[in-house]
Amino acid sequence: SSSHFFVFFCAFGRAVFPFAGGAMSDVTDCCVLVCGGGNAAQVAAGLFATRYKTIAVSFFADEAERWKNALGDDTFELTVEGAAVSKILSKPADITNDPKVAEMADVIILAVPSFAHGEYFEKFAPYMKKGTVVGVMPARSGGDILFASKLGDKAQDMVFVGFETLPWACRFSEWGRKATILGTKNNILAAVTPPSAKSKALGTLQGLLGVFPLINESPNNLGISLRNPGMVVHPGVMYGRWGPESWDGKPKAEKPLFYQGVDDYTEKVLVGMTDEVQAICRRMEKLVPGLSLKDACTLKQWYLDC
């Protein structure tokens, strides 16, 4: 009866329903590796460790050892500005530089600079199990290509998720011990390779991040690569400042500013570069039936979307 069901549910904390072909799954845990030791990595480790087995991994110098020693036996303190639950205490299951921990991972999150991605892919490759979800925040241009090149044939058994950017604005307040989420983005784009794994991958990652930011699916990682603002802004601004049209080769009296130093000439350089990307996108869409690069927007649109 319904009353018996209610008593059963209250007593055991869950209801068990008969399913054709077997019992209901009782999977309740997942192991997450968070790679890096900077602001985003410490925030991610502190957030995910509240519910799941979270292992922080850093291959940079002695960073893992320093983080482990800094935290000691204490819990990690994460402050979330503006949240109803503004302070979260947690502790990673381990902080290590041993790539062998990848054999336990269901999810691997890279929150390290893009120049370090290849090292993590290469060192984890021998130990990764089939179906591991690898989320890269941000993937930058060609992240999926680098992943495939480092893992070889094994890459086809993995799931690569390229994010356009980080989920939060954040910083550590006491390195290795305390960090703060200053703001959480409303939404964030991500693309999954292979697309057949998108439901599992995006559902898993959304579960880790929480309600916000909302992960919006992007059609492919090529669009994420060509959307990358860094590939336009960084070389464009540097050329605008130091190119032969704007610099006479003599020392500057003061250190020039980067973003604040953009002038009319640099604007033309940036617009020219982002227009070239758009021309490439439209040409590829014409050559490949069904290819959508709709998310590879202009630099101006990227900033408006932010």
Side-chain angles (χ1 to χ4, degrees):
S1 69
S2 60
S3 60
H4 291 154
F5 169 77
F6 180 75
V7 171
F8 182 81
F9 184 86
C10 291
F12 293 95
R14 66 183 179 187
V16 179
F17 298 93
F19 283 87
M24 184 174 73
S25 171
D26 191 32
V27 176
T28 58
D29 199 14
C30 118
C31 179
V32 185
L33 302 192
V34 176
C35 304
N39 295 322
Q42 293 194 24
V43 165
L47 186 62
F48 302 160
T50 59
R51 186 172 179 186
Y52 299 108
K53 180 178 181 179
T54 301
I55 301 173
V57 182
S58 175
F59 297 142
F60 176 68
D62 63 344
E63 188 171 59
E65 182 182 6
R66 289 190 293 110
W67 186 357
K68 195 167 188 173
N69 291 337
L71 190 58
D73 295 327
D74 298 332
T75 54
F76 187 84
E77 182 180 306
L78 179 61
T79 300
V80 186
E81 292 192 355
V85 181
S86 60
K87 189 165 291 187
I88 298 171
L89 300 177
S90 66
K91 191 174 181 66
D94 197 8
I95 304 171
T96 182
N97 64 354
D98 184 1
K100 197 171 186 294
V101 294
E103 65 186 11
M104 295 185 284
D106 300 295
V107 180
I108 298 175
I109 300 294
L110 266 70
V112 294
S114 58
F115 68 77
H117 291 173
E119 179 183 8
Y120 282 86
F121 295 154
E122 192 168 2
K123 288 183 176 179
F124 285 150
Y127 309 106
M128 292 170 65
K129 61 186 180 183
K130 186 176 181 179
T132 302
V133 176
V134 180
V136 184
M137 301 179 176
R140 292 309 189 189
S141 297
D144 56 323
I145 299 172
L146 178 64
F147 182 72
S149 71
K150 294 297 184 182
L151 268 72
D153 291 341
K154 198 171 184 178
Q156 65 186 357
D157 295 326
M158 307 300 167
V159 183
F160 180 90
V161 184
F163 285 85
E164 65 160 333
T165 187
L166 289 169
W168 325 277
C170 56
R171 66 162 182 258
F172 60 78
S173 49
E174 184 178 347
W175 191 87
R177 296 178 57 83
K178 298 179 181 180
T180 301
I181 294 179
L182 302 168
T184 299
K185 292 168 182 166
N186 291 323
N187 51 68
I188 184 173
L189 278 176
V192 182
T193 302
S196 59
K198 64 184 180 182
S199 295
K200 174 193 173 184
L202 296 183
T204 299
L205 293 167
Q206 189 71 71
L208 289 175
L209 294 177
V211 178
F212 295 106
L214 176 65
I215 302 175
N216 291 327
E217 180 197 349
S218 189
N220 49 68
N221 271 291
L222 179 57
I224 294 292
S225 289
L226 292 171
R227 181 184 174 88
N228 174 14
M231 69 178 182
V232 174
V233 174
H234 299 156
V237 171
M238 288 295 285
Y239 185 85
R241 170 61 63 182
W242 304 110
E245 295 88 348
S246 55
W247 184 48
D248 59 8
K250 297 178 181 179
K252 295 284 187 179
E254 297 178 352
K255 292 181 180 179
L257 299 175
F258 191 75
Y259 294 105
Q260 297 91 334
V262 171
D263 55 17
D264 291 341
Y265 172 71
T266 304
E267 178 195 8
K268 292 179 181 178
V269 172
L270 294 172
V271 170
M273 292 176 70
T274 192
D275 285 348
E276 284 183 2
V277 173
Q278 291 304 300
I280 291 170
C281 290
R282 302 295 80 78
R283 179 61 175 163
M284 285 194 288
E285 288 175 332
K286 186 176 181 179
L287 292 172
V288 183
L291 176 64
S292 172
L293 297 174
K294 64 181 181 65
D295 289 330
C297 60
T298 64
L299 182 61
K300 180 179 179 180
Q301 188 60 50
W302 190 92
Y303 280 111
L304 290 174
D305 290 346
C306 289

